């Protein structure tokens, strides 16, 4: 009898999700088998299950979810060098194949499972002092906002910025913008607990979107406005509000994903002030490595980021908790 394991599988035709027994994979040439210790639940996973997102490159009709994965190397495939059995690692959230980025847990099987396959080039060593529950969330929940800050927006020290949506990515954005030297940092979220979290993570001002946000921003910045307004909510009204807070040459940075149209209500003013809209998706391998280094050297603390852990068998419950924002989580983590 072949060995089996538990995995959280999504049928992309019916959107049925279930934790079920599947064959335990074996690593091929250039691959390693990782025993999964922790795997994050992301809003993208919720969107996949609900049908707002679909895989672009998936071969077949079902996929094991999970693009935020950490664990220990269990087995090496032929020809693998640079990895050792027992090594603590996190997995990059995707890789480039034939010039296109394929996302783990979307376009190929991910880490909501007892074991996950990974090409050796997608392994990132995890420092001994870093819990794997924290390490697993780096490849998206932390690296996506980091890449949006340092690559897409190019934030410089002393620039005023705003963050809309203080959830899994937005909370880290506030923390990372503080690390990057942005000042002041304005956070906007309708949930009081999220606004309190933003202040604890380093925001200078936390506002309810029902407030006169533009006026409060102008007051805080001496009338100038924001150099960068980051939308982590993926909500049309958020984007319209954020645009109104921008300074001359300011940029709206779209990180939250949505299929809703983007509306610029005062196009003449937008053009006159040379304002910009910047799309952002994911991160590059180097961003993940930078963040691990920041953690290793004590510049970044992710201990507050894990809102709870659940066994793999309760993955559907975790998805439901995130979809309903029960307890307003930053990140829920599955521990197979």
């Amino acid at each position: 009898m072949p060995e089996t394991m538990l995995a959280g599988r999504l049928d992309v035709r019916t959107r049925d999700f279930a934790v079920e027994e599947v064959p335990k994979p074996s690593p091929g040439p250039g691959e390693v088998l990782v025993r999964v210790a922790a795997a994050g639940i992301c809003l993208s996973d919720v969107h996949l299950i609900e049908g707002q997102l679909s895989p672009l490159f998936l071969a077949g009709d079902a996929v094991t979810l999970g693009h935020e994965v950490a664990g220990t190397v269990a087995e090496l495939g032929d020809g693998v060098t640079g990895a050792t059995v027992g090594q603590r690692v996190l997995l990059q959230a995707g890789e480039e194949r034939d010039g296109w980025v394929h996302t783990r847990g979307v376009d190929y099987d991910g880490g909501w499972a007892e074991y996950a396959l990974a090409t050796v080039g997608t392994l990132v060593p995890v420092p001994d002092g870093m819990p794997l529950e924290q390490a697993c969330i780096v490849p998206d929940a932390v690296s996506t906002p980091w890449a949006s800050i340092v690559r897409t927006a190019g934030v410089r020290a002393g620039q005023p910025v705003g963050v809309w949506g203080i959830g899994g990515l937005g909370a880290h954005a506030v923390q990372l913008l503080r690390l990057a030297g942005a000042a002041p940092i304005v956070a906007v979220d309708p949930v009081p607990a999220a606004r309190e979290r933003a202040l604890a993570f380093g925001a200078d001002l936390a506002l309810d979107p029902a407030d006169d946000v533009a006026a409060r921003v102008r007051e805080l910045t001496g009338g100038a406005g924001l150099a960068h307004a980051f939308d982590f909510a993926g909500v049309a009204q958020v984007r319209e509000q954020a645009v109104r807070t921008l300074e001359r040459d300011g940029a709206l940075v779209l990180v939250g994903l949505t299929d809703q149209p983007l509306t610029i209500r005062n196009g003449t003013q937008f053009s006159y002030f040379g304002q910009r809209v910047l799309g952002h998706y994911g991160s590059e391998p180097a961003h993940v490595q930078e963040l691990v280094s920041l953690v290793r050297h004590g510049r970044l603390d992710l201990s507050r980021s894990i809102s709870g852990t659940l066994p793999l068998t309760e993955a559907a419950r975790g998805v439901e908790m995130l979809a309903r924002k029960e307890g307003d989580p930053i990140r829920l983590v599955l521990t197979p």
Side-chain angles (χ1 to χ4, degrees):
M1 290 279 295
E3 283 191 80
T4 62
M5 67 174 187
L6 289 178
R9 302 278 288 170
L10 175 69
D11 186 316
V12 296
R13 300 165 304 170
T14 63
R15 303 293 167 163
D16 288 332
F17 173 78
V19 176
E20 56 195 35
E21 280 204 17
V22 300
K24 178 183 170 183
S26 296
E31 292 182 327
V32 301
L33 185 68
V34 173
R35 182 178 179 86
V36 177
I41 303 176
C42 177
L43 201 55
S44 299
D45 298 311
V46 176
H47 291 160
L48 278 164
I49 293 170
E50 293 180 346
Q52 293 104 313
L53 290 179
S54 293
L56 289 176
F57 305 109
L58 179 65
D61 298 318
V63 65
T64 299
L65 297 182
H67 56 275
E68 296 182 340
V69 190
T72 54
V73 175
E75 198 177 325
L76 305 178
D78 289 344
V80 168
T81 58
T84 56
V85 171
Q87 184 178 14
R88 304 169 82 246
V89 294
L90 62 81
L91 308 184
Q92 296 281 4
E95 59 190 299
E96 190 173 306
R97 301 178 181 178
D98 300 321
W100 297 93
V101 172
H102 289 55
T103 301
R104 189 183 307 277
V106 180
D107 298 308
Y108 60 98
D109 286 343
W112 287 12
E114 293 179 277
Y115 291 89
L117 282 180
T119 54
V120 68
T122 63
L123 302 185
V124 178
V126 172
D128 287 340
M130 186 177 189
L132 292 173
E133 288 84 356
Q134 295 175 28
C136 78
I137 70 169
V138 171
D140 183 17
V142 190
S143 68
T144 293
W146 179 244
S148 76
I149 292 164
V150 299
R151 184 190 69 197
T152 299
V155 173
R156 300 190 305 275
Q159 285 189 317
V161 299
V163 177
W164 275 255
I166 314 299
L169 272 67
H172 291 117
V174 170
Q175 197 175 8
L176 293 164
L177 283 162
R178 182 96 180 189
L179 187 62
I185 300 168
V186 179
V188 185
D189 197 290
V191 179
R195 296 197 294 274
E196 291 172 19
R197 174 196 297 152
L199 293 171
F201 275 39
D204 299 285
L205 179 66
L207 301 174
D208 188 316
D211 297 339
D212 190 342
V213 172
R216 295 292 300 277
V217 165
R218 303 287 172 194
E219 183 182 334
L220 185 65
T221 58
L226 303 177
H228 307 283
F230 292 85
D231 166 35
F232 285 93
V235 176
Q237 301 96 304
V238 159
R239 295 172 168 191
E240 290 187 29
Q241 183 176 69
V243 164
R244 293 196 294 273
T245 68
L246 293 176
E247 67 182 12
R248 188 183 299 269
D249 297 327
L252 171 65
V253 186
L254 308 181
V255 189
L257 303 178
T258 177
D259 56 3
Q260 296 302 304
L262 171 67
T263 302
I264 304 293
R265 293 199 179 275
N266 193 332
T268 301
Q269 178 177 299
F270 188 86
S271 296
Y272 179 77
F273 288 121
Q275 293 164 337
R276 296 161 293 142
V277 176
L278 304 174
H280 179 83
Y281 182 81
S283 62
E284 296 172 0
H287 295 120
V288 173
Q289 292 160 351
E290 288 166 3
L291 290 162
V292 171
S293 180
L294 288 167
V295 171
R296 177 186 287 119
H297 295 290
R299 304 299 195 274
L300 179 62
D301 177 12
L302 299 178
S303 62
R304 297 172 292 181
S305 298
I306 310 305
S307 305
T309 59
L310 299 93
L312 176 61
T313 51
E314 294 183 23
R317 170 71 181 133
V319 169
E320 182 184 352
M321 290 171 68
L322 181 59
R324 295 182 177 180
K325 296 186 178 180
E326 287 184 30
D328 192 32
I330 298 179
R331 259 304 182 266
L332 296 169
V333 172
L334 299 173
T335 53

